[in-house]
Structures are given as structure tokens and as C-alpha cells.
Amino acid sequence: QVQLVESGGGLVQPGGSLRLSCTASRSIDSSVHIGWYRQGPGNQRDLVATINRGGSMNYADFVKGRFIITRNNAKTTMYMQMNNLKPEDTAVYYCNYRAFAAFGQTFDYWGQGTQVTVSS
């Protein structure tokens, strides 16, 4: 098991920046992936960015060129630098660790979420 805790959310003006952090209770790797999802009011939980097994990174089209996902060398903390934030980025952001399970299945670990609000 692993526990994930997000931090770094808050209120920011359009065009501003935030950096989210996700700290794990133990070292984790990108078994399938580690990454960030977000869920805005009345919306689905959408994939934002991932670090995949092998180290490749994927970004949703709506954040490409604005968000950057990284992790520390100890593999205990994942970050997402969010630049040029827009009102439509307002959402609860969730840390996600997708791990391999038995019989070729996967299992998702989730943090509690951190609120990001982009507003004038």
C-alpha cells in the first residue's frame, strides 16, 4: 500500500502559476504511471499528465506547453508546475499512482485532492 498527499493548491489570478506536490509514504515508481488528474465542478475526472514506465511523459492537449510534470530522485515526491493558468483550469487536482496488480490488472492509488481556483 501507499498513501499519497497533495499540496500546493490555492487561489491564483489568470496567467499566474502554481506548483503542486504529491508526497508518497514510500518510494514509488511509474509501474504503469504516476501522474495527475483533475475534476472540475460537474465534470469527469480527466487525465492531466503522467510519467510513464520507462520515463516518458504524456500531457493532455489542454495543458501542453503550460504544465510540466517532474519527480524527485528518491521517487517519493511528484510535482506539477502549472503556468499561464486559465479559469478553465479550476478543479480539484488528484495525485494518481497506477500500479501493476495480479493477473495483468492494475490498481489505482489516489490522494485526497487539492483545490486549484483560477479567478480574477
PDB file of all heavy atoms in Angstrom, residues 8-43:
ATOM      1  N   GLY A   8      -0.210  22.356  -2.393  1.00  0.00           N
ATOM      2  CA  GLY A   8       0.183  23.397  -3.317  1.00  0.00           C
ATOM      3  C   GLY A   8      -0.947  24.101  -4.026  1.00  0.00           C
ATOM      4  O   GLY A   8      -0.714  25.074  -4.753  1.00  0.00           O
ATOM      5  N   GLY A   9      -2.165  23.632  -3.844  1.00  0.00           N
ATOM      6  CA  GLY A   9      -3.287  24.294  -4.465  1.00  0.00           C
ATOM      7  C   GLY A   9      -3.593  25.622  -3.803  1.00  0.00           C
ATOM      8  O   GLY A   9      -3.033  25.974  -2.768  1.00  0.00           O
ATOM      9  N   GLY A  10      -4.485  26.364  -4.420  1.00  0.00           N
ATOM     10  CA  GLY A  10      -4.867  27.654  -3.882  1.00  0.00           C
ATOM     11  C   GLY A  10      -5.568  28.497  -4.911  1.00  0.00           C
ATOM     12  O   GLY A  10      -5.970  28.024  -5.974  1.00  0.00           O
ATOM     13  N   LEU A  11      -5.710  29.767  -4.589  1.00  0.00           N
ATOM     14  CA  LEU A  11      -6.349  30.745  -5.460  1.00  0.00           C
ATOM     15  C   LEU A  11      -5.282  31.538  -6.196  1.00  0.00           C
ATOM     16  O   LEU A  11      -4.335  32.037  -5.579  1.00  0.00           O
ATOM     17  CB  LEU A  11      -7.231  31.684  -4.639  1.00  0.00           C
ATOM     18  CG  LEU A  11      -7.886  32.842  -5.378  1.00  0.00           C
ATOM     19  CD1 LEU A  11      -8.889  32.323  -6.407  1.00  0.00           C
ATOM     20  CD2 LEU A  11      -8.563  33.777  -4.388  1.00  0.00           C
ATOM     21  N   VAL A  12      -5.430  31.646  -7.504  1.00  0.00           N
ATOM     22  CA  VAL A  12      -4.454  32.349  -8.321  1.00  0.00           C
ATOM     23  C   VAL A  12      -5.172  33.137  -9.414  1.00  0.00           C
ATOM     24  O   VAL A  12      -6.240  32.734  -9.880  1.00  0.00           O
ATOM     25  CB  VAL A  12      -3.426  31.366  -8.921  1.00  0.00           C
ATOM     26  CG1 VAL A  12      -4.087  30.418  -9.906  1.00  0.00           C
ATOM     27  CG2 VAL A  12      -2.263  32.094  -9.563  1.00  0.00           C
ATOM     28  N   GLN A  13      -4.585  34.250  -9.816  1.00  0.00           N
ATOM     29  CA  GLN A  13      -5.124  35.049 -10.900  1.00  0.00           C
ATOM     30  C   GLN A  13      -4.879  34.376 -12.246  1.00  0.00           C
ATOM     31  O   GLN A  13      -3.902  33.642 -12.411  1.00  0.00           O
ATOM     32  CB  GLN A  13      -4.482  36.433 -10.914  1.00  0.00           C
ATOM     33  CG  GLN A  13      -4.705  37.270  -9.664  1.00  0.00           C
ATOM     34  CD  GLN A  13      -6.062  37.923  -9.644  1.00  0.00           C
ATOM     35  OE1 GLN A  13      -6.729  38.029 -10.671  1.00  0.00           O
ATOM     36  NE2 GLN A  13      -6.476  38.378  -8.475  1.00  0.00           N
ATOM     37  N   PRO A  14      -5.747  34.607 -13.234  1.00  0.00           N
ATOM     38  CA  PRO A  14      -5.455  34.116 -14.579  1.00  0.00           C
ATOM     39  C   PRO A  14      -4.082  34.580 -15.051  1.00  0.00           C
ATOM     40  O   PRO A  14      -3.702  35.735 -14.851  1.00  0.00           O
ATOM     41  CB  PRO A  14      -6.572  34.719 -15.428  1.00  0.00           C
ATOM     42  CG  PRO A  14      -7.698  34.913 -14.471  1.00  0.00           C
ATOM     43  CD  PRO A  14      -7.041  35.295 -13.169  1.00  0.00           C
ATOM     44  N   GLY A  15      -3.350  33.667 -15.671  1.00  0.00           N
ATOM     45  CA  GLY A  15      -1.985  33.947 -16.088  1.00  0.00           C
ATOM     46  C   GLY A  15      -0.938  33.644 -15.040  1.00  0.00           C
ATOM     47  O   GLY A  15       0.266  33.670 -15.345  1.00  0.00           O
ATOM     48  N   GLY A  16      -1.358  33.354 -13.831  1.00  0.00           N
ATOM     49  CA  GLY A  16      -0.439  33.047 -12.758  1.00  0.00           C
ATOM     50  C   GLY A  16       0.041  31.616 -12.783  1.00  0.00           C
ATOM     51  O   GLY A  16      -0.299  30.834 -13.675  1.00  0.00           O
ATOM     52  N   SER A  17       0.831  31.263 -11.774  1.00  0.00           N
ATOM     53  CA  SER A  17       1.441  29.944 -11.693  1.00  0.00           C
ATOM     54  C   SER A  17       1.273  29.339 -10.310  1.00  0.00           C
ATOM     55  O   SER A  17       1.183  30.053  -9.306  1.00  0.00           O
ATOM     56  CB  SER A  17       2.938  30.022 -12.009  1.00  0.00           C
ATOM     57  OG  SER A  17       3.174  30.471 -13.330  1.00  0.00           O
ATOM     58  N   LEU A  18       1.236  28.027 -10.275  1.00  0.00           N
ATOM     59  CA  LEU A  18       1.263  27.246  -9.046  1.00  0.00           C
ATOM     60  C   LEU A  18       2.107  26.013  -9.280  1.00  0.00           C
ATOM     61  O   LEU A  18       2.251  25.559 -10.417  1.00  0.00           O
ATOM     62  CB  LEU A  18      -0.137  26.811  -8.616  1.00  0.00           C
ATOM     63  CG  LEU A  18      -1.097  27.857  -8.064  1.00  0.00           C
ATOM     64  CD1 LEU A  18      -2.486  27.237  -7.900  1.00  0.00           C
ATOM     65  CD2 LEU A  18      -0.602  28.404  -6.743  1.00  0.00           C
ATOM     66  N   ARG A  19       2.649  25.459  -8.203  1.00  0.00           N
ATOM     67  CA  ARG A  19       3.306  24.167  -8.282  1.00  0.00           C
ATOM     68  C   ARG A  19       2.666  23.217  -7.283  1.00  0.00           C
ATOM     69  O   ARG A  19       2.689  23.472  -6.076  1.00  0.00           O
ATOM     70  CB  ARG A  19       4.815  24.250  -8.020  1.00  0.00           C
ATOM     71  CG  ARG A  19       5.523  22.919  -8.329  1.00  0.00           C
ATOM     72  CD  ARG A  19       7.026  22.995  -8.265  1.00  0.00           C
ATOM     73  NE  ARG A  19       7.534  22.939  -6.897  1.00  0.00           N
ATOM     74  CZ  ARG A  19       8.734  22.487  -6.579  1.00  0.00           C
ATOM     75  NH1 ARG A  19       9.560  22.059  -7.528  1.00  0.00           N
ATOM     76  NH2 ARG A  19       9.123  22.491  -5.313  1.00  0.00           N
ATOM     77  N   LEU A  20       2.107  22.142  -7.794  1.00  0.00           N
ATOM     78  CA  LEU A  20       1.514  21.120  -6.960  1.00  0.00           C
ATOM     79  C   LEU A  20       2.553  20.077  -6.588  1.00  0.00           C
ATOM     80  O   LEU A  20       3.456  19.772  -7.367  1.00  0.00           O
ATOM     81  CB  LEU A  20       0.351  20.433  -7.678  1.00  0.00           C
ATOM     82  CG  LEU A  20      -0.776  21.329  -8.191  1.00  0.00           C
ATOM     83  CD1 LEU A  20      -1.881  20.469  -8.799  1.00  0.00           C
ATOM     84  CD2 LEU A  20      -1.319  22.213  -7.091  1.00  0.00           C
ATOM     85  N   SER A  21       2.408  19.520  -5.395  1.00  0.00           N
ATOM     86  CA  SER A  21       3.279  18.449  -4.938  1.00  0.00           C
ATOM     87  C   SER A  21       2.441  17.263  -4.495  1.00  0.00           C
ATOM     88  O   SER A  21       1.353  17.427  -3.946  1.00  0.00           O
ATOM     89  CB  SER A  21       4.154  18.907  -3.767  1.00  0.00           C
ATOM     90  OG  SER A  21       5.016  19.958  -4.145  1.00  0.00           O
ATOM     91  N   CYS A  22       2.951  16.083  -4.721  1.00  0.00           N
ATOM     92  CA  CYS A  22       2.349  14.847  -4.240  1.00  0.00           C
ATOM     93  C   CYS A  22       3.436  14.059  -3.538  1.00  0.00           C
ATOM     94  O   CYS A  22       4.422  13.658  -4.172  1.00  0.00           O
ATOM     95  CB  CYS A  22       1.756  14.042  -5.394  1.00  0.00           C
ATOM     96  SG  CYS A  22       1.202  12.380  -4.939  1.00  0.00           S
ATOM     97  N   THR A  23       3.265  13.841  -2.245  1.00  0.00           N
ATOM     98  CA  THR A  23       4.246  13.118  -1.456  1.00  0.00           C
ATOM     99  C   THR A  23       3.708  11.736  -1.107  1.00  0.00           C
ATOM    100  O   THR A  23       2.596  11.608  -0.590  1.00  0.00           O
ATOM    101  CB  THR A  23       4.593  13.885  -0.175  1.00  0.00           C
ATOM    102  OG1 THR A  23       5.147  15.158  -0.526  1.00  0.00           O
ATOM    103  CG2 THR A  23       5.616  13.115   0.644  1.00  0.00           C
ATOM    104  N   ALA A  24       4.503  10.723  -1.382  1.00  0.00           N
ATOM    105  CA  ALA A  24       4.122   9.343  -1.132  1.00  0.00           C
ATOM    106  C   ALA A  24       4.719   8.844   0.178  1.00  0.00           C
ATOM    107  O   ALA A  24       5.780   9.307   0.606  1.00  0.00           O
ATOM    108  CB  ALA A  24       4.572   8.446  -2.273  1.00  0.00           C
ATOM    109  N   SER A  25       4.038   7.894   0.800  1.00  0.00           N
ATOM    110  CA  SER A  25       4.502   7.325   2.054  1.00  0.00           C
ATOM    111  C   SER A  25       5.705   6.409   1.880  1.00  0.00           C
ATOM    112  O   SER A  25       6.345   6.043   2.857  1.00  0.00           O
ATOM    113  CB  SER A  25       3.364   6.562   2.742  1.00  0.00           C
ATOM    114  OG  SER A  25       2.877   5.525   1.908  1.00  0.00           O
ATOM    115  N   ARG A  26       5.992   6.037   0.678  1.00  0.00           N
ATOM    116  CA  ARG A  26       7.180   5.273   0.350  1.00  0.00           C
ATOM    117  C   ARG A  26       7.600   5.618  -1.062  1.00  0.00           C
ATOM    118  O   ARG A  26       6.860   6.263  -1.802  1.00  0.00           O
ATOM    119  CB  ARG A  26       6.930   3.765   0.487  1.00  0.00           C
ATOM    120  CG  ARG A  26       5.837   3.229  -0.432  1.00  0.00           C
ATOM    121  CD  ARG A  26       5.817   1.720  -0.444  1.00  0.00           C
ATOM    122  NE  ARG A  26       4.683   1.176  -1.179  1.00  0.00           N
ATOM    123  CZ  ARG A  26       4.660   0.989  -2.499  1.00  0.00           C
ATOM    124  NH1 ARG A  26       5.718   1.335  -3.242  1.00  0.00           N
ATOM    125  NH2 ARG A  26       3.587   0.472  -3.075  1.00  0.00           N
ATOM    126  N   SER A  27       8.760   5.154  -1.444  1.00  0.00           N
ATOM    127  CA  SER A  27       9.219   5.368  -2.802  1.00  0.00           C
ATOM    128  C   SER A  27       8.298   4.653  -3.787  1.00  0.00           C
ATOM    129  O   SER A  27       7.903   3.508  -3.575  1.00  0.00           O
ATOM    130  CB  SER A  27      10.649   4.861  -2.962  1.00  0.00           C
ATOM    131  OG  SER A  27      11.106   5.038  -4.284  1.00  0.00           O
ATOM    132  N   ILE A  28       7.954   5.351  -4.835  1.00  0.00           N
ATOM    133  CA  ILE A  28       7.128   4.762  -5.873  1.00  0.00           C
ATOM    134  C   ILE A  28       7.803   4.985  -7.223  1.00  0.00           C
ATOM    135  O   ILE A  28       8.589   5.914  -7.405  1.00  0.00           O
ATOM    136  CB  ILE A  28       5.702   5.352  -5.900  1.00  0.00           C
ATOM    137  CG1 ILE A  28       5.745   6.870  -6.112  1.00  0.00           C
ATOM    138  CG2 ILE A  28       4.966   4.996  -4.619  1.00  0.00           C
ATOM    139  CD1 ILE A  28       4.384   7.507  -6.287  1.00  0.00           C
ATOM    140  N   ASP A  29       7.498   4.115  -8.142  1.00  0.00           N
ATOM    141  CA  ASP A  29       7.971   4.294  -9.500  1.00  0.00           C
ATOM    142  C   ASP A  29       6.772   4.331 -10.434  1.00  0.00           C
ATOM    143  O   ASP A  29       5.629   4.201 -10.000  1.00  0.00           O
ATOM    144  CB  ASP A  29       8.972   3.206  -9.899  1.00  0.00           C
ATOM    145  CG  ASP A  29       8.389   1.801  -9.852  1.00  0.00           C
ATOM    146  OD1 ASP A  29       7.152   1.650  -9.806  1.00  0.00           O
ATOM    147  OD2 ASP A  29       9.174   0.840  -9.864  1.00  0.00           O
ATOM    148  N   SER A  30       7.054   4.516 -11.684  1.00  0.00           N
ATOM    149  CA  SER A  30       5.986   4.551 -12.674  1.00  0.00           C
ATOM    150  C   SER A  30       5.701   3.132 -13.148  1.00  0.00           C
ATOM    151  O   SER A  30       6.017   2.751 -14.277  1.00  0.00           O
ATOM    152  CB  SER A  30       6.358   5.470 -13.833  1.00  0.00           C
ATOM    153  OG  SER A  30       7.621   5.119 -14.381  1.00  0.00           O
ATOM    154  N   SER A  31       5.116   2.333 -12.246  1.00  0.00           N
ATOM    155  CA  SER A  31       4.796   0.953 -12.570  1.00  0.00           C
ATOM    156  C   SER A  31       4.002   0.881 -13.866  1.00  0.00           C
ATOM    157  O   SER A  31       4.379   0.179 -14.800  1.00  0.00           O
ATOM    158  CB  SER A  31       4.030   0.311 -11.411  1.00  0.00           C
ATOM    159  OG  SER A  31       4.805   0.273 -10.240  1.00  0.00           O
ATOM    160  N   VAL A  32       2.909   1.566 -13.898  1.00  0.00           N
ATOM    161  CA  VAL A  32       2.207   1.873 -15.132  1.00  0.00           C
ATOM    162  C   VAL A  32       2.392   3.361 -15.391  1.00  0.00           C
ATOM    163  O   VAL A  32       2.926   3.765 -16.428  1.00  0.00           O
ATOM    164  CB  VAL A  32       0.725   1.499 -15.089  1.00  0.00           C
ATOM    165  CG1 VAL A  32       0.036   1.925 -16.390  1.00  0.00           C
ATOM    166  CG2 VAL A  32       0.566   0.007 -14.868  1.00  0.00           C
ATOM    167  N   HIS A  33       1.960   4.165 -14.425  1.00  0.00           N
ATOM    168  CA  HIS A  33       2.272   5.582 -14.453  1.00  0.00           C
ATOM    169  C   HIS A  33       2.073   6.194 -13.080  1.00  0.00           C
ATOM    170  O   HIS A  33       1.416   5.633 -12.205  1.00  0.00           O
ATOM    171  CB  HIS A  33       1.472   6.345 -15.517  1.00  0.00           C
ATOM    172  CG  HIS A  33       0.002   6.499 -15.233  1.00  0.00           C
ATOM    173  ND1 HIS A  33      -0.957   6.246 -16.192  1.00  0.00           N
ATOM    174  CD2 HIS A  33      -0.676   6.908 -14.125  1.00  0.00           C
ATOM    175  CE1 HIS A  33      -2.156   6.487 -15.673  1.00  0.00           C
ATOM    176  NE2 HIS A  33      -1.999   6.878 -14.414  1.00  0.00           N
ATOM    177  N   ILE A  34       2.665   7.346 -12.888  1.00  0.00           N
ATOM    178  CA  ILE A  34       2.286   8.272 -11.838  1.00  0.00           C
ATOM    179  C   ILE A  34       1.865   9.559 -12.532  1.00  0.00           C
ATOM    180  O   ILE A  34       2.374   9.882 -13.611  1.00  0.00           O
ATOM    181  CB  ILE A  34       3.419   8.533 -10.828  1.00  0.00           C
ATOM    182  CG1 ILE A  34       4.698   9.010 -11.544  1.00  0.00           C
ATOM    183  CG2 ILE A  34       3.697   7.274 -10.021  1.00  0.00           C
ATOM    184  CD1 ILE A  34       5.810   9.416 -10.599  1.00  0.00           C
ATOM    185  N   GLY A  35       0.938  10.259 -11.952  1.00  0.00           N
ATOM    186  CA  GLY A  35       0.503  11.462 -12.627  1.00  0.00           C
ATOM    187  C   GLY A  35      -0.578  12.210 -11.887  1.00  0.00           C
ATOM    188  O   GLY A  35      -0.823  11.990 -10.698  1.00  0.00           O
ATOM    189  N   TRP A  36      -1.203  13.102 -12.618  1.00  0.00           N
ATOM    190  CA  TRP A  36      -2.215  13.989 -12.075  1.00  0.00           C
ATOM    191  C   TRP A  36      -3.492  13.905 -12.896  1.00  0.00           C
ATOM    192  O   TRP A  36      -3.462  13.871 -14.133  1.00  0.00           O
ATOM    193  CB  TRP A  36      -1.730  15.440 -12.077  1.00  0.00           C
ATOM    194  CG  TRP A  36      -0.584  15.697 -11.157  1.00  0.00           C
ATOM    195  CD1 TRP A  36       0.738  15.619 -11.447  1.00  0.00           C
ATOM    196  CD2 TRP A  36      -0.674  16.080  -9.780  1.00  0.00           C
ATOM    197  NE1 TRP A  36       1.488  15.928 -10.346  1.00  0.00           N
ATOM    198  CE2 TRP A  36       0.650  16.216  -9.302  1.00  0.00           C
ATOM    199  CE3 TRP A  36      -1.730  16.323  -8.906  1.00  0.00           C
ATOM    200  CZ2 TRP A  36       0.933  16.593  -7.990  1.00  0.00           C
ATOM    201  CZ3 TRP A  36      -1.452  16.690  -7.605  1.00  0.00           C
ATOM    202  CH2 TRP A  36      -0.139  16.820  -7.160  1.00  0.00           C
ATOM    203  N   TYR A  37      -4.605  13.856 -12.205  1.00  0.00           N
ATOM    204  CA  TYR A  37      -5.922  14.018 -12.780  1.00  0.00           C
ATOM    205  C   TYR A  37      -6.550  15.277 -12.201  1.00  0.00           C
ATOM    206  O   TYR A  37      -6.087  15.811 -11.184  1.00  0.00           O
ATOM    207  CB  TYR A  37      -6.826  12.826 -12.450  1.00  0.00           C
ATOM    208  CG  TYR A  37      -6.560  11.569 -13.253  1.00  0.00           C
ATOM    209  CD1 TYR A  37      -5.406  10.817 -13.054  1.00  0.00           C
ATOM    210  CD2 TYR A  37      -7.486  11.119 -14.191  1.00  0.00           C
ATOM    211  CE1 TYR A  37      -5.176   9.659 -13.776  1.00  0.00           C
ATOM    212  CE2 TYR A  37      -7.265   9.956 -14.911  1.00  0.00           C
ATOM    213  CZ  TYR A  37      -6.113   9.232 -14.699  1.00  0.00           C
ATOM    214  OH  TYR A  37      -5.890   8.075 -15.418  1.00  0.00           O
ATOM    215  N   ARG A  38      -7.608  15.737 -12.840  1.00  0.00           N
ATOM    216  CA  ARG A  38      -8.352  16.852 -12.281  1.00  0.00           C
ATOM    217  C   ARG A  38      -9.838  16.668 -12.543  1.00  0.00           C
ATOM    218  O   ARG A  38     -10.240  16.024 -13.507  1.00  0.00           O
ATOM    219  CB  ARG A  38      -7.874  18.199 -12.834  1.00  0.00           C
ATOM    220  CG  ARG A  38      -8.288  18.490 -14.279  1.00  0.00           C
ATOM    221  CD  ARG A  38      -7.662  19.794 -14.752  1.00  0.00           C
ATOM    222  NE  ARG A  38      -8.188  20.224 -16.036  1.00  0.00           N
ATOM    223  CZ  ARG A  38      -7.722  21.251 -16.730  1.00  0.00           C
ATOM    224  NH1 ARG A  38      -6.705  21.968 -16.256  1.00  0.00           N
ATOM    225  NH2 ARG A  38      -8.258  21.580 -17.891  1.00  0.00           N
ATOM    226  N   GLN A  39     -10.633  17.253 -11.663  1.00  0.00           N
ATOM    227  CA  GLN A  39     -12.078  17.186 -11.787  1.00  0.00           C
ATOM    228  C   GLN A  39     -12.662  18.554 -11.457  1.00  0.00           C
ATOM    229  O   GLN A  39     -12.613  18.996 -10.305  1.00  0.00           O
ATOM    230  CB  GLN A  39     -12.667  16.118 -10.874  1.00  0.00           C
ATOM    231  CG  GLN A  39     -14.153  15.907 -11.070  1.00  0.00           C
ATOM    232  CD  GLN A  39     -14.654  14.669 -10.357  1.00  0.00           C
ATOM    233  OE1 GLN A  39     -13.952  14.084  -9.529  1.00  0.00           O
ATOM    234  NE2 GLN A  39     -15.854  14.244 -10.679  1.00  0.00           N
ATOM    235  N   GLY A  40     -13.200  19.223 -12.471  1.00  0.00           N
ATOM    236  CA  GLY A  40     -13.863  20.490 -12.273  1.00  0.00           C
ATOM    237  C   GLY A  40     -15.297  20.287 -11.835  1.00  0.00           C
ATOM    238  O   GLY A  40     -15.829  19.176 -11.876  1.00  0.00           O
ATOM    239  N   PRO A  41     -15.951  21.363 -11.421  1.00  0.00           N
ATOM    240  CA  PRO A  41     -17.343  21.258 -10.975  1.00  0.00           C
ATOM    241  C   PRO A  41     -18.241  20.668 -12.055  1.00  0.00           C
ATOM    242  O   PRO A  41     -18.295  21.181 -13.180  1.00  0.00           O
ATOM    243  CB  PRO A  41     -17.725  22.708 -10.668  1.00  0.00           C
ATOM    244  CG  PRO A  41     -16.422  23.398 -10.404  1.00  0.00           C
ATOM    245  CD  PRO A  41     -15.439  22.735 -11.318  1.00  0.00           C
ATOM    246  N   GLY A  42     -18.916  19.587 -11.736  1.00  0.00           N
ATOM    247  CA  GLY A  42     -19.825  18.949 -12.665  1.00  0.00           C
ATOM    248  C   GLY A  42     -19.166  18.179 -13.790  1.00  0.00           C
ATOM    249  O   GLY A  42     -19.857  17.717 -14.703  1.00  0.00           O
ATOM    250  N   ASN A  43     -17.849  18.028 -13.745  1.00  0.00           N
ATOM    251  CA  ASN A  43     -17.119  17.359 -14.819  1.00  0.00           C
ATOM    252  C   ASN A  43     -16.588  16.000 -14.384  1.00  0.00           C
ATOM    253  O   ASN A  43     -16.574  15.653 -13.212  1.00  0.00           O
ATOM    254  CB  ASN A  43     -15.962  18.236 -15.294  1.00  0.00           C
ATOM    255  CG  ASN A  43     -16.416  19.521 -15.952  1.00  0.00           C
ATOM    256  OD1 ASN A  43     -17.460  19.553 -16.604  1.00  0.00           O
ATOM    257  ND2 ASN A  43     -15.640  20.579 -15.781  1.00  0.00           N
TER     258      ASN A  43
END
